[in-house]
Amino acid sequence: MKIYDWIVVGGGITGAAVSYELTKKGFAVLLLERDTAMQNATRFSYGGLAYWSGTTDLTRQLCTEGIDRHRNLSAELDADTEFRELDLLLTIDRGVDVEQVAANYAHFAIPPQLLSVAEAGELEPLLNKSAIAGALTVRHGHISPTATNQAYCQAFVRLGGTIEFAEVTGLISEGNRISGVKTVGENYACENAVICAGGWSRSLLKAAGISAGVYFTRAEILETPPVDLQLRTFVMPALLKRFELEAESSKIEVDFLWDEPGKELHPPILDAGAIRFNDGSLRIGQLSRTLSDLNAKVDRQTSEKAIRAGIGKVLPDVANLPATWHDCIVAFSADNLPVVGPIGDRPGLQVFSGLSNPLAIVPALAERFANRAAGEKDWAMAYAPLRYELLSPDRFAKK
């Protein structure tokens, strides 16, 4: 049996980037992905790169490194990631204190500019100006997540990496050490395994008796075919409810509910937003739920109606476009930071998951992950050393 240096579990944007970066370092890498046709959070992402949104030294550093990588990634991977920069429009509902909302963003690396209703309407002509009290705007990165994921995978294979489509069912142990990965049809041996399975990471780790502070929401969106409607900006609400949902659902006092079947930790929330991709299609959303079951069923018709009603308030012309409902599992962590690094008491096992702002920082963080795997010091990077202890899965270890 071939023994791989690394097995990467999960072929979304995180797993593809980590696989590519590890292979660049000369490691023999196997990437395991369940679905031949992507149905994950990468596939249904808005594709936004919030490189302006760092609020700490760590997150500002990762965002700066990340956008630098994105600006050159198409050339590096020899494939078009569809990278661009556009105006993000953060709408503020009528009746809300616009100055207070703007103050909430003052500590961001690049604070958004406050716009009047008229100025917001000039920036986005499709906007329903009667529904807002104002808006914030900032330049924002954007990619096609699918194209970027494919570009990483193709570059990975060109470097000698291997991709297998198989459902991972567990980890193989020799004592405490992880020595391989089990799938439905075959077992694979490795020196190291890294879990990059997004929201599915929690169940894989739990099956191995590991708690790493990774949770998940079920996100629901609508996707249109290419349309003639010209949405100029990326529209999102300035007061995002998703982060509050994540914070409330990962509090220690409700943590036990995640391990009980059929639980909904908090009522669903809707952050009404829309983005037009280069091919003319739109993604509209986002309704988020914290359900303890990965395979929980939801009423898609009710969800679609809620999403259309929400976006109809700010972008009436978008609300009735033909669209298909989709859902996916989105990972997040208990402290809003990535969960990246080794599991202290399980040699051979690492995690790369729980990223709330994944697309902006994945390229830089995956590069740093591979550098550390190769034993390289952070001073070899163009940027300052990273405080890896802030990202370690062990920060969530139960005392």
Side-chain angles (χ1 to χ4, degrees):
M1 177 188 295
K2 179 175 181 177
I3 300 177
Y4 291 92
D5 296 322
W6 285 88
I7 292 179
V8 179
V9 179
I13 191 72
T14 55
V18 167
S19 298
Y20 166 74
E21 295 291 351
L22 287 170
T23 308
K24 275 175 60 179
K25 296 298 179 183
F27 292 113
V29 180
L30 170 65
L31 172 59
L32 293 173
E33 165 57 30
R34 181 181 60 178
D35 300 313
T36 55
M38 281 202 309
Q39 297 296 312
N40 53 26
T42 298
R43 163 66 180 84
F44 299 116
S45 165
Y46 280 133
L49 309 174
Y51 63 86
W52 52 274
S53 66
T55 56
T56 65
D57 289 343
L58 175 66
T59 55
R60 290 182 184 199
Q61 180 180 348
L62 287 172
C63 285
T64 298
E65 293 180 28
I67 195 60
D68 284 352
R69 288 298 309 278
H70 274 292
R71 287 174 175 142
N72 298 285
L73 201 56
S74 292
E76 178 181 338
L77 301 179
D78 194 24
D80 187 8
T81 67
E82 299 185 24
F83 173 80
R84 57 179 170 149
E85 293 186 62
L86 75 169
D87 293 318
L88 175 66
L89 192 66
L90 299 167
T91 58
I92 303 171
D93 289 345
R94 194 175 185 86
V96 174
D97 186 337
V98 295
E99 297 291 344
Q100 181 57 55
V101 174
N104 293 342
Y105 285 82
H107 63 303
F108 282 58
I110 305 174
Q113 173 190 354
L114 180 59
L115 300 179
S116 67
V117 173
E119 290 170 330
E122 290 176 7
L123 194 62
E124 179 50 72
L126 295 180
L127 194 64
N128 175 17
K129 293 184 289 186
S130 66
I132 65 169
L136 299 169
T137 188
V138 66
R139 293 296 283 177
H140 194 73
H142 189 257
I143 56 171
S144 163
T146 305
T148 305
N149 197 91
Q150 185 177 31
Y152 265 126
C153 288
Q154 290 172 343
F156 165 62
V157 171
R158 286 198 302 269
L159 289 173
T162 302
I163 300 176
E164 296 283 352
F165 292 99
E167 182 176 356
V168 173
T169 58
L171 303 172
I172 301 170
S173 301
E174 295 180 1
N176 274 347
R177 180 171 185 84
I178 299 301
S179 60
V181 174
K182 301 176 184 178
T183 71
V184 171
E186 191 173 349
N187 293 343
Y188 299 90
C190 63
E191 296 293 336
N192 302 278
V194 55
I195 306 300
C196 301
W200 294 85
S201 299
R202 180 181 177 86
S203 64
L204 289 173
L205 293 168
K206 184 178 181 297
I210 297 164
S211 176
V214 179
Y215 303 89
F216 55 88
T217 58
R218 179 172 295 276
E220 303 173 53
I221 68 157
L222 304 181
E223 184 176 50
T224 78
V227 295
D228 292 332
L229 191 74
Q230 294 297 316
L231 185 65
R232 294 183 184 175
T233 61
F234 184 176
V235 177
M236 293 286 290
L239 297 175
L240 283 171
K241 300 174 185 176
R242 178 172 63 88
F243 297 127
E244 181 181 352
L245 178 71
E246 292 175 355
E248 291 296 321
S249 300
S250 55
K251 286 183 175 179
I252 190 168
E253 54 265 33
V254 299
D255 193 73
F256 72 97
L257 294 175
W258 285 99
D259 298 323
E260 296 186 5
K263 295 297 183 181
E264 182 169 29
L265 282 82
H266 284 277
I269 61 92
L270 176 65
D271 289 319
I275 177 66
R276 187 178 192 271
F277 281 72
N278 284 351
D279 67 355
S281 65
L282 275 73
R283 289 184 192 165
I284 308 162
Q286 169 178 313
L287 195 152
S288 299
R289 305 175 190 269
T290 44
L291 303 170
S292 62
D293 294 343
L294 280 164
N295 295 305
K297 301 299 182 185
V298 298
D299 185 338
R300 58 192 300 171
Q301 291 183 333
T302 300
S303 295
E304 179 172 343
K305 184 178 179 180
I307 293 171
R308 289 186 182 276
I311 199 64
K313 294 177 182 177
V314 289
L315 295 169
D317 292 341
V318 171
N320 294 317
L321 291 172
T324 303
W325 173 91
H326 297 283
D327 71 337
C328 61
I329 300 299
V330 179
F332 69 94
S333 78
D335 61 7
N336 215 30
L337 288 174
V339 181
V340 175
I343 302 291
D345 61 352
R346 303 301 295 272
L349 181 63
Q350 301 210 29
V351 180
F352 195 109
S353 188
L355 286 80
S356 292
N357 184 15
L359 296 182
I361 66 175
V362 159
L365 199 52
E367 181 182 20
R368 283 186 176 272
F369 182 92
N371 287 345
R372 281 184 55 119
E376 297 178 6
K377 301 294 185 182
D378 256 358
W379 51 256
M381 297 287 290
Y383 295 91
L386 203 66
R387 293 189 60 192
Y388 290 101
E389 71 276 9
L390 297 178
L391 308 181
S392 169
D394 293 339
R395 71 188 190 271
F396 298 115
K398 289 184 171 67
K399 304 298 183 184

PDB file of all heavy atoms in Angstrom, residues 244-261:
ATOM      1  N   GLU A 244     -23.787  37.162  14.581  1.00  0.00           N
ATOM      2  CA  GLU A 244     -24.463  37.028  15.871  1.00  0.00           C
ATOM      3  C   GLU A 244     -24.998  35.610  16.047  1.00  0.00           C
ATOM      4  O   GLU A 244     -24.916  35.026  17.138  1.00  0.00           O
ATOM      5  CB  GLU A 244     -25.616  38.030  15.962  1.00  0.00           C
ATOM      6  CG  GLU A 244     -26.371  37.987  17.283  1.00  0.00           C
ATOM      7  CD  GLU A 244     -27.516  38.979  17.339  1.00  0.00           C
ATOM      8  OE1 GLU A 244     -27.639  39.819  16.419  1.00  0.00           O
ATOM      9  OE2 GLU A 244     -28.292  38.909  18.311  1.00  0.00           O
ATOM     10  N   LEU A 245     -25.540  35.040  14.974  1.00  0.00           N
ATOM     11  CA  LEU A 245     -26.028  33.666  15.019  1.00  0.00           C
ATOM     12  C   LEU A 245     -24.896  32.706  15.375  1.00  0.00           C
ATOM     13  O   LEU A 245     -25.061  31.808  16.217  1.00  0.00           O
ATOM     14  CB  LEU A 245     -26.639  33.287  13.668  1.00  0.00           C
ATOM     15  CG  LEU A 245     -27.166  31.852  13.542  1.00  0.00           C
ATOM     16  CD1 LEU A 245     -28.419  31.664  14.372  1.00  0.00           C
ATOM     17  CD2 LEU A 245     -27.432  31.502  12.080  1.00  0.00           C
ATOM     18  N   GLU A 246     -23.738  32.882  14.755  1.00  0.00           N
ATOM     19  CA  GLU A 246     -22.596  32.023  15.035  1.00  0.00           C
ATOM     20  C   GLU A 246     -22.147  32.158  16.487  1.00  0.00           C
ATOM     21  O   GLU A 246     -21.841  31.163  17.158  1.00  0.00           O
ATOM     22  CB  GLU A 246     -21.451  32.366  14.087  1.00  0.00           C
ATOM     23  CG  GLU A 246     -21.723  32.010  12.636  1.00  0.00           C
ATOM     24  CD  GLU A 246     -20.627  32.461  11.688  1.00  0.00           C
ATOM     25  OE1 GLU A 246     -19.673  33.142  12.141  1.00  0.00           O
ATOM     26  OE2 GLU A 246     -20.715  32.133  10.490  1.00  0.00           O
ATOM     27  N   ALA A 247     -22.093  33.391  16.968  1.00  0.00           N
ATOM     28  CA  ALA A 247     -21.641  33.626  18.340  1.00  0.00           C
ATOM     29  C   ALA A 247     -22.587  32.977  19.355  1.00  0.00           C
ATOM     30  O   ALA A 247     -22.149  32.318  20.309  1.00  0.00           O
ATOM     31  CB  ALA A 247     -21.516  35.121  18.604  1.00  0.00           C
ATOM     32  N   GLU A 248     -23.889  33.160  19.144  1.00  0.00           N
ATOM     33  CA  GLU A 248     -24.861  32.607  20.080  1.00  0.00           C
ATOM     34  C   GLU A 248     -24.881  31.085  20.046  1.00  0.00           C
ATOM     35  O   GLU A 248     -25.096  30.434  21.076  1.00  0.00           O
ATOM     36  CB  GLU A 248     -26.261  33.150  19.758  1.00  0.00           C
ATOM     37  CG  GLU A 248     -26.443  34.631  20.047  1.00  0.00           C
ATOM     38  CD  GLU A 248     -26.308  34.957  21.525  1.00  0.00           C
ATOM     39  OE1 GLU A 248     -26.797  34.155  22.360  1.00  0.00           O
ATOM     40  OE2 GLU A 248     -25.706  35.996  21.849  1.00  0.00           O
ATOM     41  N   SER A 249     -24.643  30.514  18.874  1.00  0.00           N
ATOM     42  CA  SER A 249     -24.751  29.062  18.710  1.00  0.00           C
ATOM     43  C   SER A 249     -23.492  28.315  19.132  1.00  0.00           C
ATOM     44  O   SER A 249     -23.499  27.082  19.165  1.00  0.00           O
ATOM     45  CB  SER A 249     -25.072  28.729  17.248  1.00  0.00           C
ATOM     46  OG  SER A 249     -26.285  29.321  16.852  1.00  0.00           O
ATOM     47  N   SER A 250     -22.429  29.025  19.444  1.00  0.00           N
ATOM     48  CA  SER A 250     -21.192  28.364  19.864  1.00  0.00           C
ATOM     49  C   SER A 250     -20.840  28.679  21.320  1.00  0.00           C
ATOM     50  O   SER A 250     -19.729  28.383  21.762  1.00  0.00           O
ATOM     51  CB  SER A 250     -20.032  28.780  18.946  1.00  0.00           C
ATOM     52  OG  SER A 250     -19.891  30.193  18.906  1.00  0.00           O
ATOM     53  N   LYS A 251     -21.780  29.277  22.049  1.00  0.00           N
ATOM     54  CA  LYS A 251     -21.546  29.528  23.477  1.00  0.00           C
ATOM     55  C   LYS A 251     -21.447  28.204  24.221  1.00  0.00           C
ATOM     56  O   LYS A 251     -22.113  27.225  23.884  1.00  0.00           O
ATOM     57  CB  LYS A 251     -22.670  30.377  24.060  1.00  0.00           C
ATOM     58  CG  LYS A 251     -22.609  31.837  23.645  1.00  0.00           C
ATOM     59  CD  LYS A 251     -23.715  32.648  24.318  1.00  0.00           C
ATOM     60  CE  LYS A 251     -23.569  34.128  24.007  1.00  0.00           C
ATOM     61  NZ  LYS A 251     -24.655  34.943  24.629  1.00  0.00           N
ATOM     62  N   ILE A 252     -20.636  28.197  25.248  1.00  0.00           N
ATOM     63  CA  ILE A 252     -20.374  26.951  25.965  1.00  0.00           C
ATOM     64  C   ILE A 252     -21.641  26.357  26.578  1.00  0.00           C
ATOM     65  O   ILE A 252     -21.802  25.136  26.652  1.00  0.00           O
ATOM     66  CB  ILE A 252     -19.287  27.182  27.045  1.00  0.00           C
ATOM     67  CG1 ILE A 252     -18.838  25.836  27.611  1.00  0.00           C
ATOM     68  CG2 ILE A 252     -19.795  28.127  28.138  1.00  0.00           C
ATOM     69  CD1 ILE A 252     -17.586  25.934  28.453  1.00  0.00           C
ATOM     70  N   GLU A 253     -22.594  27.223  26.947  1.00  0.00           N
ATOM     71  CA  GLU A 253     -23.793  26.715  27.601  1.00  0.00           C
ATOM     72  C   GLU A 253     -24.733  25.976  26.650  1.00  0.00           C
ATOM     73  O   GLU A 253     -25.637  25.263  27.093  1.00  0.00           O
ATOM     74  CB  GLU A 253     -24.547  27.842  28.311  1.00  0.00           C
ATOM     75  CG  GLU A 253     -24.889  29.034  27.456  1.00  0.00           C
ATOM     76  CD  GLU A 253     -23.858  30.146  27.569  1.00  0.00           C
ATOM     77  OE1 GLU A 253     -22.662  29.820  27.750  1.00  0.00           O
ATOM     78  OE2 GLU A 253     -24.262  31.321  27.479  1.00  0.00           O
ATOM     79  N   VAL A 254     -24.566  26.138  25.342  1.00  0.00           N
ATOM     80  CA  VAL A 254     -25.419  25.409  24.392  1.00  0.00           C
ATOM     81  C   VAL A 254     -24.617  24.386  23.587  1.00  0.00           C
ATOM     82  O   VAL A 254     -25.166  23.731  22.702  1.00  0.00           O
ATOM     83  CB  VAL A 254     -26.146  26.375  23.423  1.00  0.00           C
ATOM     84  CG1 VAL A 254     -27.050  27.317  24.188  1.00  0.00           C
ATOM     85  CG2 VAL A 254     -25.153  27.150  22.559  1.00  0.00           C
ATOM     86  N   ASP A 255     -23.341  24.236  23.916  1.00  0.00           N
ATOM     87  CA  ASP A 255     -22.475  23.361  23.122  1.00  0.00           C
ATOM     88  C   ASP A 255     -23.001  21.924  23.066  1.00  0.00           C
ATOM     89  O   ASP A 255     -22.894  21.255  22.036  1.00  0.00           O
ATOM     90  CB  ASP A 255     -21.051  23.382  23.694  1.00  0.00           C
ATOM     91  CG  ASP A 255     -20.043  22.764  22.757  1.00  0.00           C
ATOM     92  OD1 ASP A 255     -19.716  23.406  21.741  1.00  0.00           O
ATOM     93  OD2 ASP A 255     -19.602  21.629  23.018  1.00  0.00           O
ATOM     94  N   PHE A 256     -23.575  21.441  24.168  1.00  0.00           N
ATOM     95  CA  PHE A 256     -24.052  20.056  24.212  1.00  0.00           C
ATOM     96  C   PHE A 256     -25.153  19.786  23.197  1.00  0.00           C
ATOM     97  O   PHE A 256     -25.357  18.639  22.773  1.00  0.00           O
ATOM     98  CB  PHE A 256     -24.542  19.712  25.619  1.00  0.00           C
ATOM     99  CG  PHE A 256     -25.834  20.368  26.008  1.00  0.00           C
ATOM    100  CD1 PHE A 256     -27.033  19.681  25.890  1.00  0.00           C
ATOM    101  CD2 PHE A 256     -25.857  21.682  26.467  1.00  0.00           C
ATOM    102  CE1 PHE A 256     -28.239  20.283  26.240  1.00  0.00           C
ATOM    103  CE2 PHE A 256     -27.054  22.292  26.819  1.00  0.00           C
ATOM    104  CZ  PHE A 256     -28.247  21.604  26.701  1.00  0.00           C
ATOM    105  N   LEU A 257     -25.889  20.823  22.791  1.00  0.00           N
ATOM    106  CA  LEU A 257     -26.992  20.628  21.851  1.00  0.00           C
ATOM    107  C   LEU A 257     -26.507  20.184  20.473  1.00  0.00           C
ATOM    108  O   LEU A 257     -27.261  19.541  19.732  1.00  0.00           O
ATOM    109  CB  LEU A 257     -27.801  21.919  21.717  1.00  0.00           C
ATOM    110  CG  LEU A 257     -28.568  22.377  22.965  1.00  0.00           C
ATOM    111  CD1 LEU A 257     -29.220  23.729  22.722  1.00  0.00           C
ATOM    112  CD2 LEU A 257     -29.625  21.338  23.356  1.00  0.00           C
ATOM    113  N   TRP A 258     -25.269  20.526  20.138  1.00  0.00           N
ATOM    114  CA  TRP A 258     -24.735  20.117  18.837  1.00  0.00           C
ATOM    115  C   TRP A 258     -24.620  18.601  18.712  1.00  0.00           C
ATOM    116  O   TRP A 258     -24.592  18.065  17.604  1.00  0.00           O
ATOM    117  CB  TRP A 258     -23.366  20.744  18.605  1.00  0.00           C
ATOM    118  CG  TRP A 258     -23.431  22.199  18.262  1.00  0.00           C
ATOM    119  CD1 TRP A 258     -23.244  23.260  19.103  1.00  0.00           C
ATOM    120  CD2 TRP A 258     -23.711  22.767  16.976  1.00  0.00           C
ATOM    121  NE1 TRP A 258     -23.388  24.441  18.422  1.00  0.00           N
ATOM    122  CE2 TRP A 258     -23.678  24.172  17.118  1.00  0.00           C
ATOM    123  CE3 TRP A 258     -23.994  22.221  15.728  1.00  0.00           C
ATOM    124  CZ2 TRP A 258     -23.914  25.032  16.050  1.00  0.00           C
ATOM    125  CZ3 TRP A 258     -24.235  23.071  14.662  1.00  0.00           C
ATOM    126  CH2 TRP A 258     -24.190  24.461  14.829  1.00  0.00           C
ATOM    127  N   ASP A 259     -24.548  17.918  19.845  1.00  0.00           N
ATOM    128  CA  ASP A 259     -24.396  16.467  19.823  1.00  0.00           C
ATOM    129  C   ASP A 259     -25.717  15.736  20.032  1.00  0.00           C
ATOM    130  O   ASP A 259     -25.740  14.516  20.168  1.00  0.00           O
ATOM    131  CB  ASP A 259     -23.386  16.043  20.909  1.00  0.00           C
ATOM    132  CG  ASP A 259     -22.014  16.631  20.645  1.00  0.00           C
ATOM    133  OD1 ASP A 259     -21.628  16.716  19.463  1.00  0.00           O
ATOM    134  OD2 ASP A 259     -21.328  17.012  21.618  1.00  0.00           O
ATOM    135  N   GLU A 260     -26.816  16.485  20.048  1.00  0.00           N
ATOM    136  CA  GLU A 260     -28.139  15.881  20.162  1.00  0.00           C
ATOM    137  C   GLU A 260     -28.867  15.995  18.820  1.00  0.00           C
ATOM    138  O   GLU A 260     -28.846  17.045  18.188  1.00  0.00           O
ATOM    139  CB  GLU A 260     -28.949  16.571  21.258  1.00  0.00           C
ATOM    140  CG  GLU A 260     -28.366  16.400  22.645  1.00  0.00           C
ATOM    141  CD  GLU A 260     -29.270  16.967  23.723  1.00  0.00           C
ATOM    142  OE1 GLU A 260     -30.399  17.412  23.385  1.00  0.00           O
ATOM    143  OE2 GLU A 260     -28.852  16.976  24.901  1.00  0.00           O
ATOM    144  N   PRO A 261     -29.506  14.915  18.365  1.00  0.00           N
ATOM    145  CA  PRO A 261     -30.178  14.955  17.059  1.00  0.00           C
ATOM    146  C   PRO A 261     -31.395  15.862  17.066  1.00  0.00           C
ATOM    147  O   PRO A 261     -32.084  16.017  18.080  1.00  0.00           O
ATOM    148  CB  PRO A 261     -30.579  13.490  16.836  1.00  0.00           C
ATOM    149  CG  PRO A 261     -30.653  12.902  18.213  1.00  0.00           C
ATOM    150  CD  PRO A 261     -29.609  13.607  19.025  1.00  0.00           C
TER     151      PRO A 261
END
